[in-house]
Amino acid sequence: MPIIKANAYGHGLTEVARALEAGGADWLGVARIEEALAVRQAGVGCNLLVLGYVSPLRAAEAAAERITLTAFAPDQAAELSAQAAAAGLTVTVHAKIDIGMGRLGVFVQDAAAFLRRMAELPGLKVTGMFTHFPLSDEPENPLALRHVERMLALEQSLREQGLRPPLVHACNSAAAFYFPTAHFDMVRSGIAIYGLNPSDEAPLPPDSGLIRALTWKSRLVSIKEFPAGQGIGYNYRYTTTQTERIGTAAVGYCDGIRRRTGNFLLVGGKIVPVRGGMCMDQCMVSLLDLPDARVGDEVVVIGRQGEAQIAPEDLGRAWNTNNYDAVCSITARVPRLYFYGNHGD
Ligand SMILES: *Cc1c(COP(=O)(O)O)cnc(C)c1O
């Protein structure tokens, strides 16, 4: 079950969904019903699971579109049942177990009763059960292993009681690589399918064959030379200290670069500093080291130029967040172009 929430981690929801279906995905996972509906409207036939909250008022709509929802609490499951049954439909759900995340799901000790109770509800059919590990990207943490053992024991116990749903799943990307005993019937890989590392402690294995799918580029649209002492941009957060050529790139914070000072971009095969703050649609970069830079030159936000590169992990570090956040932040207005095949970046 590839995970394509958040606009497929910034890569573009419907195009990625279509490519994954063509690549043989049985299931696709999203976080919101709107995402599932958009995928359906794009003509994708895969099974769809909404991992997050959906208003029970939309249970019938989900049933009609063959979208599976997450049942994460007894009252919520009862509301889904009531809404679907009132429309004369059956909504399929996967039961969510809280293995220690502290988020959605019933506790392990309540799982059997939860499944028994749902089996009696009209308009509701449990076709799966899943959990989500909070420490999967810290595989060395002993608590992480305890969560895996807890889930294995639960599955075994439910099997013995005749309550095990047909599809059991637990692993996100990091867990799929680092907790091989917890694969059950399928894994839910998000970050890995985009060729990105789950974390520094749980990187993609070198033999995974996964490569970064995304490159983010802009261009230099203007170049000017300024004397020493010239303020640059809003609030003059940078002032030239010598004669300096400065280029304007057509990318700004509304495209998804954080609105902060200290950003950097790749121009002419070199990492160059953004001068001053980010503007909404543009930013200014120093061309001190790049006397040959010309208007129209490529500017890379994420990707490679020759030997140099800026990875989503680098932006994550610079922005005090992670690579997930860096790619999910690329906003909808940035045009996405798709190239199929093993092009690398
Ligand atoms: C986002 C998410 C995933 C995917 O996680 P990755 O670390 O990107 O592989 C899997 N399961 C659930 C419940 C999620 O919310």
Side-chain angles (χ1 to χ4, degrees):
M1 182 192 289
I3 302 299
I4 55 171
K5 61 191 176 188
N7 201 21
Y9 291 48
H11 293 64
L13 178 66
T14 54
E15 197 77 22
V16 170
R18 284 197 200 99
L20 290 167
E21 180 176 45
D26 304 299
W27 282 82
L28 299 174
V30 294
R32 303 273 183 262
I33 193 169
E34 287 79 8
E35 295 172 325
L37 291 168
V39 169
R40 272 284 174 269
Q41 272 149 29
V44 171
C46 294
N47 296 299
L48 300 175
L49 175 64
V50 182
L51 302 161
Y53 171 81
V54 173
S55 164
L57 297 174
R58 309 192 74 172
E61 193 181 356
E65 293 292 336
R66 215 168 45 76
I67 293 166
T68 300
L69 303 182
T70 294
F72 56 80
D75 290 352
Q76 175 252 358
E79 286 178 48
L80 290 175
S81 151
Q83 291 291 334
L89 296 170
T90 296
V91 64
T92 58
V93 297
H94 286 192
K96 181 80 188 279
I97 309 300
D98 184 352
I99 207 76
M101 182 77 179
R103 207 169 65 177
L104 299 183
V106 300
F107 297 125
V108 168
Q109 63 270 25
D110 301 325
F114 185 46
L115 291 168
R116 271 205 194 88
R117 193 168 152 192
M118 284 198 288
E120 284 163 9
L121 293 175
L124 190 90
K125 186 161 191 266
V126 181
T127 56
M129 174 181 91
F130 72 108
T131 194
H132 191 49
F133 296 123
L135 304 174
S136 62
D137 65 359
E138 301 173 39
E140 306 292 321
N141 188 328
L143 255 182
L145 219 55
R146 292 253 294 279
H147 295 152
V148 171
E149 284 160 7
R150 217 176 272 167
M151 188 62 185
L152 287 165
L154 173 64
E155 188 233 10
Q156 182 61 29
S157 141
L158 293 173
R159 190 193 291 276
E160 286 161 12
Q161 299 172 74
L163 289 171
R164 185 200 192 276
L167 274 178
V168 174
H169 48 105
C171 290
N172 66 352
S173 298
F177 289 117
Y178 291 92
F179 305 157
T181 59
H183 284 180
F184 300 106
D185 302 308
M186 65 182 172
V187 298
R188 301 186 308 271
S189 288
I191 200 81
I193 67 163
Y194 307 101
L196 304 178
N197 287 317
S199 71
D200 290 342
E201 300 88 76
L204 294 175
D207 61 354
S208 71
L210 295 163
I211 56 167
R212 192 163 67 222
L214 176 148
T215 296
W216 180 10
K217 293 174 179 175
S218 179
R219 288 194 189 278
L220 288 179
V221 296
S222 170
I223 296 177
K224 287 183 293 193
E225 190 169 281
F226 297 96
Q230 172 67 51
I232 299 292
Y234 292 119
N235 310 111
Y236 283 174
R237 295 215 161 83
Y238 176 76
T239 301
T240 55
T241 56
Q242 58 184 300
T243 301
E244 184 169 357
R245 268 187 2 125
I246 290 189
T248 299
V251 60
Y253 65 78
C254 273
D255 299 299
I257 302 184
R258 286 288 194 281
R259 188 177 173 280
R260 67 193 279 281
T261 54
N263 281 323
F264 46 87
L265 296 165
L266 267 178
V267 184
K270 290 197 171 131
I271 293 180
V272 295
V274 169
R275 291 308 196 195
M278 296 296 298
C279 307
M280 186 182 279
D281 316 300
Q282 294 157 100
C283 61
M284 287 70 96
V285 292
S286 175
L287 301 177
L288 268 176
D289 293 341
L290 294 165
D292 297 333
R294 294 287 173 270
V295 166
D297 283 1
E298 177 187 275
V299 171
V300 170
V301 186
I302 293 174
R304 285 178 199 285
Q305 261 183 352
E307 296 296 293
Q309 74 155 327
I310 298 174
E313 288 79 3
D314 300 323
L315 295 185
R317 260 184 296 278
W319 295 346
N320 234 328
T321 178
N322 61 7
N323 53 351
Y324 290 68
D325 189 3
V327 290
C328 288
S329 297
I330 306 171
T331 58
R333 83 170 185 190
V334 178
R336 269 79 169 164
L337 304 174
Y338 297 91
F339 302 91
Y340 293 89
N342 193 348
H343 61 91
D345 62 1

